[in-house]
Amino acid sequence: MMCSYQLQKYRNAGSFVLPVDLTDKETWGDSEHRLAYVSETTVIFKDIVQVRDDQWWRALSTGYVTQWAAMYPQKIDALFYAHSVDEVKALAPLLEKFRSSVGKKAYIVVSGGNFCPCEDAAAALNWPKSVCKERRFKIFDLQVGALSGASNSEVPLLQSVYSSLKGLIKIHNPSVIITVTDIDPNVKKALKMASETNVNGTALVLLPRSSVSKVLWMADLRSTALQNWNRMRISVNIITQSRAPSLTRLLKSLSGAYYTGDEIPVSFNMDSKVDEATIKLVDSFEWLHGPKTLRRRIIQGGLIRAVSESWYPTSDDDFGLLLEDDIEVSPYYYLWIKYALLAYHYDPQVSLPELSSISLYTPRLVEVVKERPRWNPTEFFNRIHPNTPYLHQLPCSWGAVFFPKHWREFYVYMNMRFTEDAKANPVQIPKSRTNGWQASWKKFLIDMMYLRGYVSLYPNFPNQASFSTNHMEPGAHISAKDNVVRHDKADFEVPLLMEDFRTLLPNGKLPPASKLPSLNLFNQPVSLKGLKAAGAKLGQDVLPCNNATEIVTVDHITGLPQQCSKFI
């Protein structure tokens, strides 16, 4: 058995007992570990059987793929890895959430040896030490360095973790391997290599310790969604001009938020008249989560160009968060985005093609109606659940993540419809005050979303607490000379959500996509099909379509309008 184990571990080579008759299991060797349970061997050669039994289970717990394991592969949700007792403690809340969730399977792997003795790990989890000897696995002890001792080379550690994890992954097929971001670099490399060996797809999740207890919602996602953990790329794109104090506040809130170990690029998009204080602030800002990019226009472009040119997707997995400098974000803003994308966009069992963005902000007004009446979603949805998230036809300009396919589509649409004269724009949404808006990127996006039945996902928490707030400081629209609308700060500045939002959601998790209520532009309940029907009826899109049954569909790579398609 030791020869077989070493061949597999270091050469990825299989071994066989000969002769073998494929039709006669008696010639297969002890593939199912039966000898330990045969009374003759157990009684007569008890000590030998005990040694053999211990060796079998020790090998199995360190990733030895037996013939039985190869024939009967398992499927679990998560495999946690801890290289030290401190890491066990850090991962404990999420491990416990997985193990206590109905229908979920999760185990923890520890390095063992002098790094993290199994018994110490069990004690840190408040498990009895006997779990280290149990045949029903909860914890896998790799016993790293138990025999060879310490080494000055990185190779033994890397090889030992890699080879064992590779076997455990092959046996158990976890959707994710979860560990902490600050784990030993050689161990991190080994885990990455091991996760990449699984042809069925295993994502390596590297969590900052401070975020572990904040992402318990991971256990509520389907395994097929969890596998896509690393696919998305969310960039932060900041539009700023000459409001250094406001920008300082935004950057402080971004730096103090919880993250999930992802690389997050940040870009600063400045117009030509940006002041010296802002330039110095942007130049000195240190962003720890990814690359920083600075852009400055040579000719003053205004807000419509500043926003629309601040981000363009590089792939279908590239999502853009757009923030003006008078916005401030909640510490939980990124977790909300990540959770929502995995639940409603990356779950292969969910179909929600109408979803074009995720808002961080919850509005207090119905802004497209002339009177701009106050609106409280907590009261409005009380019969469903006071804190249910909802789908709304209105795009958000005060902190939102935009989807790549829809943004390409919007880019083309705005280019085809852009005019400085609002009256020259042919799209007139019945009873909407947006018809009188001057050239505005949000106006064009509203028009497109109305015509094609698109929606944004909105949060909904007590007192309209949100993942972003708007401080309503003077800029291109607020306090502008030609803006006749009076803005009351109390109507726009909402409190930031400073507590874990998971506990506030219906049943403690995001509801199924089919249970999300949907509203039209005027905050009236309308089905997703009803939204498309209203857009078709207007008949003012860039292609003429059947006003009762068809809407415009586009080539999602170029964003160009392609044809009229029936909607369902």
Side-chain angles (χ1 to χ4, degrees):
M1 182 173 182
M2 184 51 66
C3 287
S4 172
Y5 181 30
Q6 299 299 318
L7 281 168
Q8 186 184 110
K9 184 171 183 177
Y10 295 109
R11 291 293 297 168
N12 201 28
S15 51
F16 301 89
V17 177
L18 297 174
V20 174
D21 181 350
L22 294 178
T23 63
D24 183 5
K25 281 194 174 185
E26 295 300 318
T27 69
W28 289 14
D30 190 14
S31 62
E32 296 179 2
H33 195 47
R34 289 170 295 171
L35 287 178
Y37 309 104
V38 177
S39 60
E40 289 82 354
T41 59
T42 305
V43 174
I44 302 171
F45 306 109
K46 188 174 182 180
D47 292 341
I48 295 175
V49 170
Q50 184 65 47
V51 170
R52 183 169 57 213
D53 192 45
D54 289 344
Q55 186 185 36
W56 167 279
W57 289 104
R58 190 180 302 121
L60 208 60
S61 72
T62 54
Y64 177 43
V65 185
T66 64
Q67 188 175 15
W68 182 90
M71 290 169 64
Y72 304 103
Q74 307 298 299
K75 176 60 186 171
I76 67 172
D77 297 280
L79 202 59
F80 288 75
Y81 182 86
H83 203 64
S84 68
V85 176
D86 280 346
E87 290 169 16
V88 173
K89 293 176 181 177
L91 293 168
L94 188 54
L95 173 64
E96 177 58 32
K97 179 65 168 70
F98 265 95
R99 292 188 61 83
S100 62
S101 297
V102 176
K104 295 293 182 182
K105 273 190 176 181
Y107 305 126
I108 185 168
V109 183
V110 297
S111 54
N114 295 324
F115 296 102
C116 182
C118 184
E119 290 77 8
D120 293 353
L125 293 166
N126 293 319
W127 292 353
K129 293 183 179 180
S130 59
V131 298
C132 295
K133 306 289 185 184
E134 286 178 1
R135 302 318 190 205
R136 289 185 67 85
F137 291 118
K138 285 185 181 178
I139 187 165
F140 295 102
D141 180 2
L142 302 190
Q143 302 183 53
V144 175
L147 297 177
S148 59
S151 170
N152 292 326
S153 171
E154 65 185 43
V155 175
L157 174 61
L158 193 153
Q159 173 63 37
S160 184
V161 175
Y162 164 69
S163 57
S164 291
L165 257 295
K166 180 183 66 173
L168 290 173
I169 289 170
K170 188 171 184 180
I171 296 168
H172 298 284
N173 287 290
S175 294
V176 287
I177 297 174
I178 301 173
T179 192
V180 292
T181 51
D182 59 340
I183 199 166
D184 181 289
N186 293 315
V187 175
K188 186 185 295 186
K189 184 177 180 181
L191 295 176
K192 185 175 186 297
M193 290 166 56
S195 65
E196 290 170 351
T197 63
N198 189 5
V199 294
N200 297 321
T202 295
L204 177 59
V205 177
L206 300 164
L207 292 174
R209 297 190 190 212
S210 60
S211 295
V212 172
S213 62
K214 306 296 189 293
V215 294
L216 302 186
W217 43 260
M218 285 181 70
D220 297 321
L221 293 165
R222 276 188 276 259
S223 288
T224 47
L226 278 176
Q227 285 177 300
N228 294 309
W229 183 269
N230 295 320
R231 274 186 61 183
M232 67 191 76
R233 182 177 186 265
I234 302 163
S235 61
V236 177
N237 305 276
I238 299 169
I239 298 100
T240 186
Q241 173 75 347
S242 296
R243 297 191 289 203
S246 301
L247 180 59
T248 300
R249 180 183 55 217
L250 170 60
L251 297 182
K252 183 179 179 181
S253 67
L254 287 168
S255 297
Y258 297 107
Y259 295 97
T260 59
D262 302 343
E263 181 183 79
I264 307 165
V266 63
S267 73
F268 292 88
N269 303 275
M270 301 170 284
D271 226 327
S272 64
K273 295 179 181 178
V274 61
D275 63 10
E276 181 181 4
T278 302
I279 294 172
K280 286 183 175 179
L281 173 59
V282 168
D283 181 68
S284 62
F285 176 63
E286 290 187 15
W287 180 243
L288 303 178
H289 306 284
K292 180 179 81 170
T293 303
L294 275 59
R295 303 188 187 98
R296 182 179 179 183
R297 290 183 62 92
I298 194 168
I299 298 174
Q300 191 77 3
L303 189 60
I304 190 169
R305 292 176 180 84
V307 172
S308 59
E309 295 175 9
S310 65
W311 169 74
Y312 195 81
T314 58
S315 74
D316 286 348
D317 296 306
D318 187 5
F319 299 81
L321 170 61
L322 306 189
L323 298 170
E324 292 185 46
D325 52 18
D326 62 344
I327 303 297
E328 185 179 4
V329 297
S330 152
Y332 293 88
Y333 88 92
Y334 190 83
L335 304 186
W336 162 252
I337 296 167
K338 185 93 173 179
Y339 187 14
L341 281 174
L342 287 165
Y344 299 132
H345 186 75
Y346 280 105
D347 187 336
Q349 296 182 51
V350 172
S351 177
L352 195 56
E354 299 87 358
L355 186 60
S356 64
S357 58
I358 297 170
S359 173
L360 304 183
Y361 178 85
T362 308
R364 283 180 166 169
L365 300 178
V366 184
E367 65 174 289
V368 300
V369 176
K370 183 179 180 181
E371 297 77 17
R372 294 190 306 160
R374 274 183 163 268
W375 188 71
N376 189 326
T378 304
E379 295 175 0
F380 189 85
F381 294 115
N382 191 51
R383 273 198 277 179
I384 301 173
H385 188 283
N387 300 135
T388 182
Y390 61 96
L391 302 173
H392 195 185
Q393 205 171 22
L394 179 76
C396 178
S397 57
W398 295 324
V401 173
F402 295 94
F403 287 25
K405 292 179 181 179
H406 301 83
W407 191 257
R408 293 189 198 107
E409 185 176 347
F410 168 56
Y411 225 74
V412 171
Y413 177 86
M414 183 165 59
N415 185 50
M416 296 176 77
R417 281 279 163 86
F418 180 73
T419 170
E420 295 287 350
D421 180 7
K423 293 179 182 178
N425 191 295
V427 180
Q428 298 290 303
I429 299 172
K431 300 179 181 178
S432 174
R433 62 183 285 263
T434 62
N435 296 328
W437 288 4
Q438 297 301 314
S440 155
W441 72 275
K442 188 173 180 178
K443 169 188 167 48
F444 292 119
L445 186 53
I446 287 172
D447 290 349
M448 189 190 84
M449 289 178 66
Y450 186 89
L451 290 167
R452 297 175 189 176
Y454 293 153
V455 290
S456 181
L457 177 72
Y458 277 80
N460 172 25
F461 297 109
N463 198 29
Q464 276 133 309
S466 302
F467 298 103
S468 68
T469 191
N470 178 9
H471 288 287
M472 299 296 292
E473 287 160 350
H477 289 320
I478 308 301
S479 300
K481 291 179 181 179
D482 57 348
N483 193 343
V484 296
V485 178
R486 188 182 68 84
H487 294 89
D488 186 343
K489 204 169 185 180
D491 291 336
F492 298 93
E493 192 172 33
V494 297
L496 287 174
L497 194 67
M498 304 304 285
E499 61 181 305
D500 192 343
F501 62 87
R502 185 183 65 88
T503 57
L504 300 171
L505 293 171
N507 299 315
K509 57 186 176 183
L510 285 176
S514 60
K515 300 292 185 183
L516 290 172
S518 54
L519 304 177
N520 68 6
L521 194 59
F522 305 95
N523 292 53
Q524 299 163 330
V526 179
S527 69
L528 294 178
K529 183 178 180 179
L531 295 180
K532 295 187 183 79
K537 184 179 179 181
L538 192 60
Q540 296 174 2
D541 210 329
V542 293
L543 295 179
C545 297
N546 184 307
N547 285 23
T549 60
E550 293 181 336
I551 56 174
V552 173
T553 55
V554 306
D555 180 326
H556 282 302
I557 295 176
T558 63
L560 292 167
Q562 202 169 38
Q563 61 190 17
C564 297
S565 299
K566 289 186 181 296
F567 58 84
I568 55 173

